[in-house]
């Protein structure tokens, strides 16, 4: 993992040939992503956001707009920057948009500028985390599964690009109008609390600890963001009845995630497809420059 696909010959490394091949082999390519969880296109002449967007659209998957705390900038059509938070910080492992009722099945990343050092995008087979957590903490896992989870997250009133999770609620929910923002948040199944400083606190419940998805061998995926949100300054993760999740359980889960991670080093022009139902992903600290673009698909 990942399955690496290279140009069949130098003359077919251009974007036009790649796009034609993807259109012709859509069903097979989709099966390869589900079978392998991640597929890397390497050695193709993919130069910029426009080329990347052509590749995304060639696959025929419907777009899904990113919602979440990560600061991002729209670049071109279906293409956005990946998390623009400080490169010096590690981005915890997560399934994209895991907190929301609707989340992408596919996440596609394009490396326009590889970092000189660090900046890998490691990913983790989600079912392995569940297996290991059940081995080490069977009672705690089943209690969390039975009760369900509750998260809170606070978004500032305006963007704070100095934070990995500093996206303001106006940007995150696409409106400067508090009433409309509240309506959109509630439509996603979340409760709202307005703070004195103009920030918006969301309460997200109930959410499951694990999930099983069709076509993934019945595997129980670790489909939550407990490690990323537990005990943080602007977020929390508890069981739905308010029972705290033990610190040592969360700490050990974070270690397991790292132990099970597959390290992936970027090369210029790489396009990585991964199954968001099966893999968690993160970002290693990096020296600048690093430019990775992203598209998310239903």
């Amino acid at each position: 993992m990942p399955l690496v696909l290279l140009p069949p010959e130098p003359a077919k490394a251009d974007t036009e040939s790649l796009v034609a091949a993807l259109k012709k082999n859509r069903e097979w390519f989709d099966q390869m992503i589900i079978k392998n969880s991640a597929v890397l296109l390497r050695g193709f002449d993919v130069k910029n956001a426009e080329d990347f967007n052509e590749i995304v659209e060639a696959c025929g998957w419907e777009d899904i707009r990113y919602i979440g705390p990560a600061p991002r900038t729209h670049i071109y059509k279906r293409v956005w920057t990946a998390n623009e938070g400080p490169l010096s910080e590690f981005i915890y492992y997560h399934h994209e948009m895991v907190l929301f009722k609707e989340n992408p099945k596919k996440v596609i990343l394009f490396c326009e500028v590889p970092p000189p050092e660090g900046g890998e995008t490691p990913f983790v087979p989600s079912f392995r985390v569940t297996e290991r957590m059940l081995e080490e903490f069977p009672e705690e896992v089943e209690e969390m599964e039975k009760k369900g989870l509750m998260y809170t997250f606070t978004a500032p009133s305006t963007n704070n690009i100095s934070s990995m999770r500093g996206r303001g609620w106006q940007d995150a929910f696409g409106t400067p109008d508090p009433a409309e923002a509240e309506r959109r948040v509630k439509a996603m199944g979340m409760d709202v609390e307005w703070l004195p400083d103009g920030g918006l606190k969301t309460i997200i419940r109930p959410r499951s600890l694990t999930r099983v998805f069709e076509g993934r061998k019945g595997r129980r995926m670790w489909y939550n963001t407990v490690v990323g949100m537990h005990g943080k300054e602007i977020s929390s993760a508890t069981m739905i009845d308010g029972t705290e999740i033990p610190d040592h359980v969360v700490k050990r889960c974070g270690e397991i995630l790292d132990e099970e991670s597959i390290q992936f080093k970027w090369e210029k022009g790489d396009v990585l497809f991964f199954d968001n139902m099966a893999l968690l992903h993160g970002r290693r600290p990096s020296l600048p420059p690093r430019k990775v673009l992203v598209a998310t698909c239903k």
Side-chain angles (χ1 to χ4, degrees), residues 26-152:
R26 281 179 176 174
E27 186 176 342
W28 174 84
F29 189 66
D30 191 53
Q31 290 172 354
M32 288 302 98
I33 295 171
I34 294 175
K35 179 180 179 181
N36 298 279
S37 297
V39 175
L40 172 65
L41 302 179
R42 173 163 283 176
F44 294 91
D45 190 25
V46 187
K47 298 185 181 70
N48 50 40
E50 289 80 3
D51 290 348
F52 178 44
N53 188 75
E54 280 194 60
I55 291 167
V56 172
E57 293 190 340
C59 295
W61 303 314
E62 189 177 349
D63 186 43
I64 181 170
R65 185 180 185 274
Y66 171 75
I67 300 170
R72 293 184 173 182
T73 302
H74 182 241
I75 301 296
Y76 178 78
K77 292 188 177 179
R78 295 176 63 169
V79 178
W80 294 70
T81 58
N83 192 318
E84 294 179 312
L87 290 176
S88 59
E89 296 186 34
F90 174 73
I91 296 177
Y92 63 87
Y93 299 104
H94 60 285
H95 290 278
E96 200 70 22
M97 293 169 56
V98 68
L99 294 179
F100 303 101
K101 289 183 176 179
E102 185 178 39
N103 36 55
K105 291 184 177 178
K106 311 284 195 314
V107 175
I108 313 169
L109 299 168
F110 161 58
C111 182
E112 187 170 350
V113 180
E117 183 180 322
E120 296 89 353
T121 298
F123 40 86
V124 181
S126 195
F127 77 97
R128 283 291 300 141
V129 184
T130 306
E131 288 179 347
R132 293 192 57 186
M133 288 294 289
L134 280 168
E135 289 170 4
E136 296 190 31
F137 305 103
E139 293 179 3
E140 291 87 343
V141 168
E142 293 306 337
E143 182 183 10
M144 287 188 281
E145 190 77 275
K146 183 178 179 180
K147 290 182 176 179
L149 301 174
M150 176 174 67
Y151 303 95
T152 67

Side-chain angles (χ1 to χ4, degrees), residues 111-118 266-269 287-292:
C111 182
E112 187 170 350
V113 180
E117 183 180 322
W266 288 110
E267 293 184 10
K268 182 177 176 59
L287 291 179
R290 179 187 190 272
K291 188 174 184 181
V292 174

